[in-house]
Amino acid sequence: MKALKNMEAIFTVAVAIACGASYASYASFTRPQAAETGNAAQANAIPVVVVSAKRLTEQEKKISLIEERQALLGNTTASAL
């Protein structure tokens, strides 16, 4: 009986150590290190895409759609508007 109580204590201590080590390793991975990432502001910067083009008019959109459909169908001889 005494051996079972000792094994229970050993198991409890081993689980406590494993949980503590797991928590410590997780905390070190989630915190970015300033020396590794350089500037923290640059690491968290969101990329921005700027599109500088004029909008198509309604007629140009229709022509573009017609040309796209013709290209998909393989009908290159049909005339566009």
Side-chain angles (χ1 to χ4, degrees), residues 5-64:
K5 286 200 177 240
N6 287 339
M7 291 302 284
E8 183 181 350
I10 291 171
F11 177 75
T12 305
V13 170
V15 168
I17 291 172
C19 288
S22 174
Y23 179 75
S25 68
Y26 177 75
S28 68
F29 284 124
T30 58
R31 237 185 356 230
Q33 301 294 331
E36 293 176 0
T37 60
N39 189 357
Q42 287 179 343
N44 295 331
I46 298 173
V48 178
V49 177
V50 178
V51 178
S52 59
K54 67 173 194 158
R55 291 183 176 259
L56 295 176
T57 64
E58 192 66 33
Q59 184 67 21
E60 290 171 333
K61 286 181 191 178
K62 288 179 183 178
I63 292 172
S64 174

